[in-house]
């Protein structure tokens, strides 16, 4: 049985991933950690450690105390917030990853690293973006993701650390909110549609990006760590996607459930420029071939589920 440490367990991915890992591997075998105390569900249903991953000794202490053999390293600043404080984004995103990789090397741990569609840039092919292609991002977030992919491959090749990763698209969930990304609109729109019947979007109506519903993202993170390493040609990191849509298309889908819903636009130039530099739709055939990746949800099934779950969470009757 694996002994897992989740770094950043209180975040958008971490809170749902921790719950699923505990179901699969047993509560006692999954240590949640975060800089701040997360929800009761995470902090009180299994082992929890307050952990600042910029402190390498602290990471090492937790790994050794719980005899961890697999680390899911999720702590990072996202794209939009990174542009507000590039130095902090570099220090947190690279510093924490380096600490995790060093501790993993010394303690024989496997590492999951979440890269992103943000690892691509304005001169990457926009449609059917290949697995192996030009990666010259122009955001600090993207730069840390490309450097992170390379660093993970380096630790694998040079020190034999079992590093694996995926390039996540925008992630949509009704459990925890994302914090400071460019794709956050695709979560906010459901909350605002249900609460106010109206949403003001900070991206232009036709801005197309890859997206994924959280249950598929959790499945991907677990499946890639379970995959047979001998079959992996790539490692850091695999393109994965589930759907690709624009604000106008998600709004149309929401209108099928909330007919009076209205979307308006007030463009944020910073987030628009980031979104314009990312692909329209990536090609995830390497992940499908090498470890059997296959998403379950598309825009229609995700919207039905989001509206059902979120209206019950917010106690809103449709
Ligand atoms: C962001 O928008 O920054 C993230 C991502 C796509 O990596 N959601």
């Amino acid at each position: 049985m694996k002994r897992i440490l989740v770094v950043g367990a209180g975040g958008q991915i971490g809170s749902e991933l921790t719950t699923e890992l505990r179901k699969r591997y047993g509560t006692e075998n999954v240590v949640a950690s975060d800089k701040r105390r997360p929800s009761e569900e995470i902090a009180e249903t299994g082992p929890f450690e307050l952990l600042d991953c910029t402190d390498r000794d602290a990471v090492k202490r937790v790994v050794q105390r719980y005899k961890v053999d697999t680390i899911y390293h999720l702590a990072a600043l996202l794209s939009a917030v990174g542009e507000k404080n590039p130095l902090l984004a570099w220090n947190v995103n690279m510093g924490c990853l380096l600490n995790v990789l060093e501790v993993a090397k010394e303690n024989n741990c496997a590492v999951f690293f979440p890269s992103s569609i943000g690892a691509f840039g304005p001169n990457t092919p926009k449609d059917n973006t290949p697995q192996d292609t030009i990666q010259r991002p122009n955001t600090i977030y993207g730069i840390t993701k490309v450097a992170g992919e390379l660093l993970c491959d380096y630790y694998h090749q040079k020190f034999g650390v079992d590093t694996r990763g995926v390039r996540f698209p925008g992630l949509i969930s009704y459990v925890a909110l994302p914090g400071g990304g460019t794709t956050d609109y695709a979560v906010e729109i459901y909350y605002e549609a249900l609460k106010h019947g109206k949403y003001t979007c900070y991206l232009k109506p036709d801005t197309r990006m890859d997206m994924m519903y959280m249950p598929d993202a959790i499945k991907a993170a677990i499946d890639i760590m379970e995959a047979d390493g001998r079959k992996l040609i790539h490692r850091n990191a695999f393109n994965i996607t589930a759907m690709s849509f624009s604000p106008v298309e998600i709004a149309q889908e929401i209108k099928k459930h909330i007919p009076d819903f209205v979307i308006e636009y007030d463009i944020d130039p910073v987030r628009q420029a980031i979104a314009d530099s990312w692909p329209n739709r990536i090609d995830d055939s390497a992940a499908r071939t090498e470890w059997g990746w296959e998403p379950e949800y598309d825009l229609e099934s995700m919207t039905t589920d989001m509206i059902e779950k979120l209206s019950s969470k917010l106690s809103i009757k449709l």
Side-chain angles (χ1 to χ4, degrees):
M1 189 55 89
K2 284 184 196 290
R3 300 274 292 173
I4 298 171
L5 170 65
V6 182
V7 179
Q12 194 205 10
I13 306 174
S15 44
E16 286 183 65
L17 180 64
T18 303
T19 307
E20 185 57 32
L21 289 170
R22 283 180 172 161
K23 269 191 217 148
R24 278 207 202 195
Y25 300 106
T27 301
E28 290 312 308
N29 293 320
V30 180
V31 183
S33 73
D34 207 293
K35 227 170 104 178
R36 286 176 220 98
R37 203 170 169 76
S39 65
E40 262 177 40
E41 200 197 327
I42 301 296
E44 278 160 35
T45 58
F48 171 74
E49 293 282 334
L50 273 178
L51 177 65
D52 175 359
C53 55
T54 60
D55 178 350
R56 189 178 303 169
D57 287 337
V59 178
K60 183 171 155 188
R61 275 195 300 277
V62 174
V63 163
Q64 293 185 342
R65 178 166 168 217
Y66 290 94
K67 299 190 171 48
V68 166
D69 59 32
T70 304
I71 306 173
Y72 278 86
H73 174 52
L74 307 174
L77 264 67
L78 293 183
S79 56
V81 84
E83 289 311 290
K84 290 195 181 133
N85 197 340
L87 193 62
L88 181 69
W90 176 266
N91 287 340
V92 170
N93 293 10
M94 295 315 298
C96 291
L97 177 61
L98 193 62
N99 288 343
V100 164
L101 288 169
E102 270 298 301
V103 173
K105 180 184 89 179
E106 286 158 13
N107 295 274
N108 204 16
C109 300
V111 175
F112 173 81
F113 169 68
S115 187
S116 158
I117 51 169
F120 297 116
N123 52 7
T124 303
K126 285 219 170 301
D127 295 304
N128 248 339
T129 306
Q131 172 66 40
D132 301 307
T133 186
I134 302 164
Q135 289 183 268
R136 305 284 294 175
N138 57 4
T139 62
I140 191 70
Y141 175 69
I143 292 166
T144 65
K145 289 299 177 190
V146 177
E149 291 183 6
L150 294 172
L151 200 59
C152 287
D153 272 347
Y154 181 78
Y155 269 74
H156 175 62
Q157 285 152 11
K158 183 107 182 162
F159 307 118
V161 180
D162 186 1
T163 56
R164 304 177 185 198
V166 295
R167 294 182 183 131
F168 278 130
L171 298 180
I172 294 135
S173 147
Y174 58 89
V175 177
L177 288 167
T182 303
T183 57
D184 294 10
Y185 89 87
V187 180
E188 292 166 7
I189 194 168
Y190 288 105
Y191 279 83
E192 294 305 305
L194 281 164
K195 288 203 271 193
H196 308 297
K198 185 178 149 188
Y199 177 62
T200 305
C201 185
Y202 54 79
L203 295 179
K204 291 183 193 160
D206 59 349
T207 312
R208 177 171 291 282
M209 285 183 286
D210 286 284
M211 300 279 177
M212 186 178 291
Y213 199 27
M214 192 60 86
D216 279 330
I218 301 302
K219 181 162 77 94
I222 296 175
D223 285 357
I224 190 171
M225 294 311 283
E226 285 288 349
D228 180 350
R230 291 166 304 182
K231 295 197 179 138
L232 299 182
I233 299 162
H234 299 87
R235 276 181 171 266
N236 301 286
F238 283 92
N239 282 3
I240 56 166
T241 186
M243 59 192 98
S244 163
F245 58 74
S246 62
V248 78
E249 287 165 354
I250 189 174
Q252 274 158 6
E253 201 55 48
I254 292 173
K255 266 169 109 48
K256 292 184 187 163
H257 301 261
I258 308 170
D260 293 337
F261 173 62
V262 177
I263 184 164
E264 290 174 350
Y265 298 91
D266 181 11
I267 309 310
D268 168 10
V270 174
R271 284 179 286 185
Q272 185 65 52
I274 298 175
D276 288 344
S277 77
W278 290 354
N280 295 331
R281 168 119 210 169
I282 60 174
D283 169 14
D284 61 4
S285 50
R288 289 173 187 262
T289 311
E290 291 177 41
W291 51 277
W293 158 247
E294 200 180 348
E296 192 185 327
Y297 288 90
D298 60 12
L299 177 57
E300 194 181 344
S301 51
M302 172 180 79
T303 300
T304 303
D305 201 61
M306 269 298 276
I307 292 197
E308 187 195 314
K309 301 278 177 24
L310 206 51
S311 52
S312 128
K313 178 177 167 180
L314 301 173
S315 308
I316 293 171
K317 278 215 167 68
L318 284 178

